[in-house]
């Protein structure tokens, strides 16, 4: 992969990179579309990164169908699919990890304490292997996006991170590889996450600035669904992910909710006028 | 620095990189000589990296004379000297660190618990900025060398690490920027470190294989000097830095000793037949 990507760059082509864990859906394919808009050669990767799963999480059951995924990527114009093995990525005696302790302690990091260390480590490795000009990530994973942008700046990578808006089902549910875990009742209830974000947006448009009041309204809306179990509802400063009490500047409203075995996340970003 | 180094590489020249903290001596200049042997364009950096100093260590008093250093580097054929500021390297809100917990817990890492995290983080940044083909480090910092080689492999950097034998004074003392801290009595006593390593080598040549016995002999020799205060004397497996009881394979004998304000280190590597 390394020698191919260096050859492509030496020929003057720009590489767009879409790292994934497979189980591809329209959200991932929109990342490919964006990569094609800005670069000449598209490399996607599929690697279900064990480092970013906690001990009790769904590493073993994470959906896998690499041939189907490869077809989807090819049809959408991906030039190369890179699928390293666990052993190639983390040989015995592997010892290196990367972390951003401040940005990783909030939101998903609070309930998944080693998750972002795993994400940063694998993305750094993939960046060094693929050497892209641009890498594309989805806005659904808002904290991941903010952390990776910071890592790229902090470690002086010469790589541009592009963000693509969350792809949604017609009822607003953010498309996720984990949606296949949902029972039919859970699937019916899950759009409440996005609905509650839209409710929050409306409250803010109507000049509500008290974060606690907005979070309470979100909590009430979600708690209405019997299959929902809230992990967190947070309103934070988009830059440093610190809690906001009175809304101002650019804020991120981020939510994680369990529906059965599926932990679903969603978010919106707003600039308070 | 980034755009210059990319331009040089695009012109087909190989970059050799010598990262330093300044206070240059013959040991550093030998790194430059080695860089010149293998590459076309030599970049050196001087950055006294605050992240690799502990709270009680000599960051503030670390010797600095950048104009003198620049002259030495130029005379030895360095093409570019890169001297970033603290603020450029670690702007406010900086949050990223890299660590190798297994390799960093032994030897110097035991008494300097955050040291190698600082070293790895700054070297990763410098590698991304300078983008060298080859980077050159001294064997005096044996643990640093082993950790950085591992980091480069683990994170898939396309950079070759070259090691250069320790430069020594005529009495065997390893040349170090910290030797200037020594009083005249301490300077007279300090060569005992290298002498004790040579003693250990002789014992091993005479078929001593018991690590404890060898360490005791080293300890006795060093303790003989009134100004010496031993930090550690260790014999470890060179690959994973784990303690060795009965010598076999490739081993590292590493020593750290305080003489007044100066903490001096030295080591030898031996392959047991």
């Amino acid at each position: 992969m390394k020698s191919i990507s260096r050859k492509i760059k030496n020929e003057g082509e720009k590489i767009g990179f879409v790292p994934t864990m497979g189980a591809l859906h329209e959200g991932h394919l929109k990342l490919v579309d964006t990569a094609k808009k800005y670069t000449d050669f598209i490399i996607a990767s599929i690697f279900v990164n064990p480092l970013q799963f906690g001990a009790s999480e769904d590493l073993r059951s994470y959906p896998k169908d690499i041939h189907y995924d490869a077809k989807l990527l090819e049809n959408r114009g991906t030039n190369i699919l890179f699928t390293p093995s666990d052993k190639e990525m983390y040989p015995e005696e592997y010892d290196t990890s990367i972390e951003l302790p401040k940005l990783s302690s909030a939101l998903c990091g609070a309930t998944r304490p080693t998750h972002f260390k795993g994400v940063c480590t694998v993305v750094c490795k993939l960046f060094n292997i693929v050497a892209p000009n641009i890498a594309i990530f989805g806005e659904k994973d808002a904290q991941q996006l903010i952390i990776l942008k910071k890592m790229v700046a902090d470690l002086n990578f010469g790589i541009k991170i592009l963000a693509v808006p969350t792809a949604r089902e017609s009822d607003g549910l953010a498309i996720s590889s984990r949606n296949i875990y949902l029972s039919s009742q859970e699937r019916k209830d899950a759009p409440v996450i996005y609905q509650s974000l839209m409710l929050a947006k409306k409250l803010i448009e109507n000049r509500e600035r008290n974060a606690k009041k907005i979070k309470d309204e979100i909590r009430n809306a979600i708690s209405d669904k019997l299959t929902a179990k809230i992990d967190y509802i947070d309103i934070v400063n988009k830059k440093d992910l610190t809690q906001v009490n009175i809304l101002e500047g650019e804020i991120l409203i981020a939510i994680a909710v369990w529906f059965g075995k599926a932990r679903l996340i969603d978010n919106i970003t707003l600039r308070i006028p």
Side-chain angles (χ1 to χ4, degrees), chain A:
Chain A
M1 183 68 260
K2 258 188 164 170
S3 65
I4 292 171
S5 69
R6 269 60 176 184
K7 191 165 166 283
I8 290 159
K9 277 182 131 173
N10 281 342
E11 288 165 0
E13 297 213 303
K14 280 202 168 163
I15 295 176
F17 179 43
V18 180
T20 81
M21 299 211 303
L24 301 183
H25 51 65
E26 184 58 25
H28 297 106
L29 299 175
K30 282 209 165 33
L31 305 182
V32 174
D33 296 343
T34 302
K36 283 184 75 75
K37 215 186 284 178
Y38 294 99
T39 59
D40 313 302
F41 194 93
I42 312 306
I43 298 174
S45 66
I46 295 180
F47 179 63
V48 182
N49 176 31
L51 284 198
Q52 73 191 66
F53 287 80
S56 61
E57 292 178 8
D58 58 345
L59 172 61
R60 271 161 191 243
S61 64
Y62 200 83
K64 266 187 193 171
D65 186 345
I66 201 152
H67 296 289
Y68 181 71
D69 287 343
K71 208 73 205 153
L72 289 176
L73 289 167
E74 192 179 0
N75 289 344
R76 210 71 165 234
T78 304
N79 298 92
I80 285 184
L81 170 58
F82 177 52
T83 60
S85 69
D86 285 14
K87 269 199 171 167
E88 284 173 297
M89 291 295 271
Y90 304 117
E92 244 187 289
E93 322 260 324
Y94 183 91
D95 195 24
T96 306
S97 63
I98 299 183
E99 71 182 324
L100 286 78
K102 281 185 241 160
L103 288 179
S104 301
S105 61
L107 305 177
C108 290
T111 41
R112 306 183 74 188
T114 61
H115 174 66
F116 290 111
K117 193 194 263 199
V119 169
C120 289
T121 301
V122 80
V123 168
C124 179
K125 283 172 66 66
L126 291 169
F127 280 3
N128 279 342
I129 296 167
V130 173
N133 300 83
I134 294 175
I136 301 98
F137 294 86
E139 286 180 355
K140 181 166 79 71
D141 301 293
Q143 187 176 12
Q144 168 178 285
L145 185 63
I146 290 165
I147 288 175
L148 291 177
K149 278 186 177 176
K150 185 79 177 150
M151 180 185 84
V152 161
D154 279 358
L155 294 183
N156 308 93
F157 275 99
I159 295 170
K160 195 175 163 61
I161 303 279
L162 280 187
V164 175
T166 303
R168 299 185 179 281
E169 303 289 357
S170 57
D171 56 10
L173 177 64
I175 299 179
S176 163
S177 307
R178 290 182 169 108
N179 289 353
I180 65 155
Y181 297 147
L182 298 171
S183 72
S184 79
Q185 185 57 49
E186 287 157 4
R187 176 64 189 80
K188 268 183 212 155
D189 289 350
V192 74
I193 302 176
Y194 185 61
Q195 287 154 15
S196 73
L197 286 167
M198 290 301 100
L199 169 68
K201 192 173 175 223
K202 191 148 226 169
L203 289 168
I204 293 164
E205 282 164 1
N206 292 334
R207 296 175 193 259
E208 180 58 75
R209 292 292 180 268
N210 184 313
K212 186 178 177 310
K213 281 191 184 162
I214 297 164
K215 286 190 278 187
D216 285 346
E217 293 285 343
I218 294 173
R219 186 174 312 275
N220 289 341
I222 296 175
S223 302
D224 218 36
K225 305 294 179 187
L226 291 178
T227 63
K229 210 184 106 204
I230 294 168
D231 179 0
Y232 67 78
I233 296 163
D234 266 322
I235 303 181
V236 296
N237 180 318
K238 200 187 167 188
K239 208 183 157 195
D240 58 13
L241 302 183
T242 53
Q243 293 289 329
V244 165
N245 295 316
I246 301 300
L247 273 56
E248 60 172 348
E250 222 182 349
I251 58 134
L252 170 71
I253 309 181
I255 299 179
V257 183
W258 286 94
F259 287 91
K261 286 188 303 176
R263 181 178 173 281
L264 304 183
I265 59 174
D266 205 346
N267 70 87
I268 53 172
T269 293
L270 295 168
R271 179 177 293 282
I272 308 301

